[in-house]
Amino acid sequence: MALLTQAIKGTQDTLPKDSYKIRFVEQTIAEIAANFGFKEIRTPVFEHTELFNRSVGDTTDVVQKEMYTFDDKGGRSITLRPEGTAGAMRAFLEHGLFNEPLPQKVFYQTSCYRYEKPQAGRLREFHQFGVECFGTDSPAADAEIISLASEIFGFLGVKDLELQINSIGCPTCRAEYQNALKSYFASRKDELCGTCLDRLDRNPMRILDCKSPVCSEIAKGAPTVLEFLCDECKAHFDMVQKYLKVMNIDFVVNPTIVRGLDYYTKTVFEFVSQGIGSQGTVCGGGRYDGLAEELGGNHVPSLGFAMGMERLMLVLEAQGIELPPEEKCNLYIAPAGENASLKAAELVTALRQEGIYALFDTVGRGIKAQMKYANKIGAEYVVVLGDNEIESGKVELKNMESGKVTEMSLATFADDFSGVSIQQSVAKLSDEFSSSDLSNVDLSAILGGSF
Ligand code: HAM
């Protein structure tokens, strides 16, 4: 019966002890992207298989080996998205966003699906934060999206990432490069895997990112694309580097980066970590000037990147980066008896409307067990509510950290407690500022909306 209680290989649950951290990171990233003019786009989790065949490319590992493809009940071939660019471009074309002011800048935070061999940092269901910028061929845009990724890592305090950039040229200069690759790989033909033999004629560049150990060893000696760039691609790449320099972004040129997807042209880049094992590429992207035409649209030079959220979280953990703590229960009301429970329900309703994180007993525990529970969940304040309190109209508010007890009137409790809670949040906030690495953390993220 393990099937019923075990998640599918390569997938993982995010439990409450971790989900608040991911939510903080996602929210922070979305806010930084908004400062760069990126707005959220949401597209379906599945698309026509043909969309990925045409965009990602039917000689890539992703399309040939890794897609979750099935026929739906209407006999259509459907694929769970292996990445976010194809769907975003499809939506851009379908909704005529090319008629809006360009560039159109979108971001997404989505799940993706690839049937890969699971290992640390490599899952079959994973999550990407991605951005796409449609409608500009300027190298300034290449540098801008790289600077967005860099800004995100910098804000989160990530230290050891290396930015590697390359240019893989345009269809004109690529043709010559493909020929050089073809001759190189043809000389080692007998050693290539079956898939790469097929790629030798159709798309020899894809042999460069084959995951088979023999093919990847042979690929190390292959000619690199930079030697073949045409004047325009070379000038574009030089300009990107000039922009990066004035933006104070460190980078290295790595001529072996080709990326595993077919749509790329000109600039490609990766942010690589040495600290999380072999799956160290936390973010990858580049230009894809021909994709819109490939899908039947006009020429729309575009570019983007995606970062793997699971890999980013691994990096944050490996570097011991502290994120703001989980929001704690502000007030726990411990009722004794049915009347008190009804009063507690009334009070928490009013408090929650004030934005306070308030709980009361919904299990039927005795007072002692309730106090133990309140302690366990780290409640900041506790109020015990019995018939005596209801009769006298007075309750004792206990600060669980200091043990200090304050008498409060039941009639004005919700309003009075809101005041106490705001004071507590402000005190906490000034502590956060003096002790945190994340010196300009968003107020609402820390206060959980209680302001
Ligand atoms: P990609 O390099 O295939 O590019 O994936 C981007 C990032 O997603 C990787 O750098 C990695 O962090 C994460 N990732 C990929 N596969 C897995 C996996 N199996 N498990 C965990 N994380 C993974 C793209 O997807 C392009 N669409 C990026 C892009 C956007 N280019 C232009 N615009």
Side-chain angles (χ1 to χ4, degrees):
M1 277 323 210
L3 275 185
L4 296 183
T5 52
Q6 238 169 46
I8 289 175
K9 193 173 164 186
T11 69
Q12 64 185 24
D13 302 304
T14 304
L15 300 179
K17 72 180 176 47
D18 296 316
S19 58
Y20 78 94
K21 296 182 199 158
I22 295 179
R23 182 171 279 273
F24 170 81
V25 172
E26 283 177 346
Q27 201 173 317
T28 303
I29 291 178
E31 282 167 17
I32 297 173
N35 287 343
F36 281 69
F38 287 87
K39 298 185 176 170
E40 188 175 12
I41 187 166
R42 296 185 186 208
T43 62
V45 71
F46 50 76
E47 300 270 0
H48 292 296
T49 302
E50 190 54 22
L51 174 69
F52 300 114
N53 292 350
R54 287 297 280 272
S55 53
V56 171
D58 59 7
T59 54
T60 58
D61 264 10
V62 170
V63 167
Q64 290 189 323
K65 301 178 183 171
E66 298 167 3
M67 292 206 308
Y68 280 89
T69 297
F70 57 95
D71 285 345
D72 71 5
K73 291 199 193 307
R76 300 168 199 90
S77 181
I78 300 291
T79 293
L80 301 186
R81 66 175 159 231
E83 56 98 57
T85 309
M89 177 57 99
R90 195 253 325 122
F92 172 84
L93 295 172
E94 179 171 344
H95 302 286
L97 297 185
F98 43 81
N99 292 320
E100 305 289 325
L102 297 177
Q104 284 284 301
K105 295 161 100 174
V106 297
F107 78 84
Y108 48 83
Q109 297 183 314
T110 57
S111 57
C112 298
Y113 302 86
R114 295 186 193 176
Y115 193 79
E116 293 191 85
K117 201 162 176 230
Q119 62 179 93
R122 194 204 270 160
L123 292 148
R124 290 183 174 168
E125 181 188 62
F126 60 99
H127 296 81
Q128 285 187 342
F129 163 78
V131 299
E132 312 295 346
C133 177
F134 301 119
T136 167
D137 59 8
S138 165
D142 304 40
E144 186 182 60
I145 62 156
I146 292 174
S147 79
L148 166 56
S150 175
E151 178 76 25
I152 290 169
F153 295 131
F155 185 89
L156 291 171
V158 178
K159 279 175 202 87
D160 81 334
L161 290 186
E162 182 173 70
L163 167 62
Q164 305 179 357
I165 64 170
N166 191 23
S167 172
I168 58 167
C170 61
T172 316
C173 44
R174 187 111 38 94
E176 216 187 306
Y177 177 53
Q178 298 266 37
N179 283 336
L181 277 182
K182 219 178 259 182
S183 331
Y184 171 78
F185 284 119
S187 69
R188 310 280 302 261
K189 202 171 162 178
D190 298 343
E191 300 160 72
L192 296 177
C193 75
T195 319
C196 284
L197 269 184
D198 173 53
R199 290 165 169 165
L200 186 57
D201 276 330
R202 294 178 61 205
N203 192 353
M205 250 176 97
R206 290 285 68 96
I207 303 176
L208 296 173
D209 42 59
C210 178
K211 291 185 187 98
S212 118
V214 178
C215 297
S216 48
E217 198 49 43
I218 298 172
K220 284 185 186 154
T224 57
V225 63
L226 280 182
E227 306 152 44
F228 295 85
L229 290 189
C230 65
D231 289 348
E232 193 206 316
C233 289
K234 207 174 161 319
H236 184 97
F237 193 43
D238 287 346
M239 236 11 235
V240 173
Q241 294 177 56
K242 277 190 186 156
Y243 274 110
L244 291 177
K245 281 181 189 146
V246 299
M247 290 167 141
N248 281 325
I249 296 171
D250 291 336
F251 63 89
V252 293
V253 173
N254 177 355
T256 66
I257 294 181
V258 290
R259 314 273 304 127
L261 313 166
D262 266 356
Y263 45 63
Y264 289 112
T265 52
K266 293 185 174 165
T267 317
V268 288
F269 62 90
E270 292 181 348
F271 284 83
V272 183
S273 162
Q274 299 304 330
I276 55 166
S278 64
Q279 302 304 307
T281 307
V282 180
C283 172
R287 238 179 208 288
Y288 46 90
D289 290 347
L291 180 57
E293 280 160 300
E294 187 64 37
L295 299 181
N298 291 329
H299 179 63
V300 186
S302 304
L303 66 165
F305 70 72
M307 53 180 76
M309 292 305 292
E310 286 81 1
R311 289 187 196 176
L312 175 58
M313 297 310 288
L314 285 178
V315 168
L316 294 180
E317 206 177 292
Q319 295 188 13
I321 291 170
E322 275 200 34
L323 300 174
E326 188 175 17
E327 206 196 332
K328 285 268 158 65
C329 169
N330 301 133
L331 174 68
Y332 181 86
I333 301 180
E338 201 173 272
N339 267 346
S341 178
L342 288 168
K343 187 69 190 167
E346 187 188 316
L347 283 176
V348 292
T349 304
L351 287 158
R352 287 168 182 165
Q353 280 164 4
E354 297 294 323
I356 302 228
Y357 175 179
L359 296 177
F360 77 116
D361 174 62
T362 52
V363 177
R365 290 187 174 110
I367 291 293
K368 215 168 146 194
Q370 289 194 57
M371 294 305 283
K372 227 169 152 183
Y373 175 76
N375 224 343
K376 244 187 195 158
I377 62 167
E380 290 168 343
Y381 291 93
V382 172
V383 157
V384 174
L385 196 61
D387 291 340
N388 285 347
E389 283 78 10
I390 293 176
E391 234 168 73
S392 67
K394 298 228 175 328
V395 288
E396 289 190 338
L397 176 70
K398 183 172 179 190
N399 180 322
M400 295 296 274
E401 206 181 297
S402 65
K404 196 178 150 205
V405 172
T406 316
E407 196 178 83
M408 291 173 80
S409 148
L410 204 48
T412 56
F413 184 81
D415 276 353
D416 296 346
F417 185 79
S418 295
V420 171
S421 176
I422 286 174
Q423 276 171 21
Q424 168 102 351
S425 298
V426 170
K428 237 182 8 186
L429 185 64
S430 70
D431 277 1
E432 289 283 341
F433 271 114
S434 53
S435 68
S436 171
D437 276 351
L438 298 162
S439 48
N440 37 3
V441 173
D442 171 20
L443 286 187
S444 62
I446 296 172
L447 300 178
S450 60
F451 241 10

